[in-house]
Amino acid sequence: MKVLLVEDDKVSRIAIYRYLSENGFECISLRSVKNALDVVFEQAFDIIFCDINLEDDSGFSLLEKIRESLLDIPFIFITASNDDDIIHEALDKGADDFLRKPFHLENLQTIIKRNIERKKIDFIRRSSNKESILLHAIKALIAALEAKDSYTSGHSLQVARYAHMLGEALGLFAEEQFILELSALLHDIGKIGMPDNILKKEASLQDDEYNLAKEHVIIGSKIITEINDLQEVATIIRHHHERFDGKGYPDGLKGDAIPLYSRIITIVDAYETIRAKRRYSDQQSMGYAFEELIKHSGTQFDPELLEVFIRMIRSTLSLKEKPKLQIE
Ligand SMILES: [Fe+2]
């Protein structure tokens, strides 16, 4: 654990430095705001202790610069003052705690532990909040899309489920799975801007209608690119109708040049579309769906991914069909 100590009083500085060093902390001790600014953005500190009155400036100016930079390190003021106004001002400006002079050196460890724990909890709370707001917004977007065409209702969710299963079979990490599933959920979000007469048309589309329908990958990608954290998802959506042989759209990417998660979605999207009952088609068997996919292996679909997908669906099914163990 690395501590930055900014204190111009020599006796306090040496006492705190010695105590922290003897108790397993790495401590950098400095006397001025200028010296502190030289190191604080260069090195990674876990906590800062800072006197309010320093030889060249006030500790407040160090605090302000750190908070302006969005560096989220616990900042503890060391002060001999009992002035409530100073305490309130410090808290308003983002100080986390106070160490009042005179103090017992033993209190330092408690203050360090308490403030680092608080920051961690704060971080978890903020990130889970952000995530749940984002997920709610995404669910609302998908509901809006599916409200346009009740026959495709559930398609995005089912595609995301299959993508999750294939991701697991490929050994993706949790964060990678999150990106893949979000992309699968949102892959057709661009259809939200598509005219109903094209979206719901049962007969095959005319050339100009087909060209308009193809735009959904670009529209979807543009919608999602507006969300800062989801740039990768926007790219995956853009390429989910590319073909392995390079004859897909919108960019005609070929083979491995197509993002991996787009290649996954291409397969599971096709499988779900064949298997589900829609206004324009009946539900087809698993065997029929596999035959259709295999026909296009290496042309539309990545052959290696397709093989893993088929094997994974078959083994999931055989697991389901295994008789339950009889326990006596
Ligand atoms: Fe699509």
Side-chain angles (χ1 to χ4, degrees), residues 50-257:
C50 181
D51 193 7
I52 290 186
N53 299 309
L54 291 157
E55 59 182 26
D56 63 335
D57 204 343
S58 152
F60 279 108
S61 83
L62 178 61
L63 173 63
E64 273 172 33
K65 290 202 169 66
I66 286 174
R67 292 301 177 241
E68 271 167 27
S69 74
L70 302 180
L71 209 58
D72 201 16
I73 312 173
F75 192 104
I76 319 299
F77 267 130
I78 304 171
T79 177
S81 169
N82 275 324
D83 185 340
D84 281 350
D85 289 344
I86 291 185
I87 309 277
H88 284 135
E89 187 186 350
L91 290 172
D92 280 350
K93 290 186 170 160
D96 295 282
D97 214 337
F98 290 91
L99 184 60
R100 285 183 194 278
K101 288 179 187 170
F103 55 85
H104 289 293
L105 286 167
E106 293 75 27
N107 292 347
L108 280 170
Q109 294 210 52
T110 315
I111 290 179
I112 292 174
K113 200 173 161 212
R114 177 171 73 211
N115 281 281
I116 287 178
E117 281 304 311
R118 270 190 208 158
K119 280 281 177 230
K120 267 191 206 155
I121 291 167
D122 220 38
F123 177 76
I124 292 167
R125 191 172 47 77
R126 270 185 285 129
S127 48
S128 59
N129 246 349
K130 197 173 153 194
E131 201 166 279
S132 75
I133 290 167
L134 183 65
L135 289 178
H136 278 109
I138 284 165
K139 280 182 187 160
L141 266 177
I142 293 160
L145 170 66
E146 295 192 340
K148 269 176 81 83
D149 182 9
S150 59
Y151 274 87
T152 58
S153 171
H155 170 72
S156 311
L157 195 59
Q158 192 54 42
V159 168
R161 280 191 194 122
Y162 287 134
H164 171 88
M165 290 161 76
L166 183 47
E168 279 209 330
L170 293 168
L172 297 187
F173 293 119
E175 310 84 70
E176 297 171 321
Q177 280 282 31
F178 183 71
I179 296 288
L180 170 61
E181 286 170 46
L182 263 189
S183 310
L185 265 177
L186 290 164
H187 72 284
D188 272 343
I189 200 65
K191 287 185 177 171
I192 212 159
M194 205 188 286
D196 280 0
N197 62 325
I198 295 181
L199 192 64
K200 297 181 178 179
K201 190 165 178 179
E202 291 180 32
S204 23
L205 298 174
Q206 304 291 321
D207 280 355
D208 55 337
E209 292 171 330
Y210 182 56
N211 286 334
L212 203 62
K214 288 200 293 192
E215 288 287 308
H216 80 279
V217 295
I218 293 168
I219 297 168
S221 175
K222 276 187 184 156
I223 292 172
I224 299 305
T225 212
E226 295 296 323
I227 306 172
N228 270 345
D229 295 340
L230 298 185
Q231 299 310 306
E232 190 184 352
V233 173
T235 307
I236 295 162
I237 291 173
R238 180 178 175 95
H239 297 298
H240 81 270
H241 280 288
E242 303 286 1
R243 289 169 50 109
F244 201 69
D245 59 8
K247 292 180 181 165
Y249 63 88
D251 298 316
L253 298 186
K254 193 174 178 179
D256 291 347

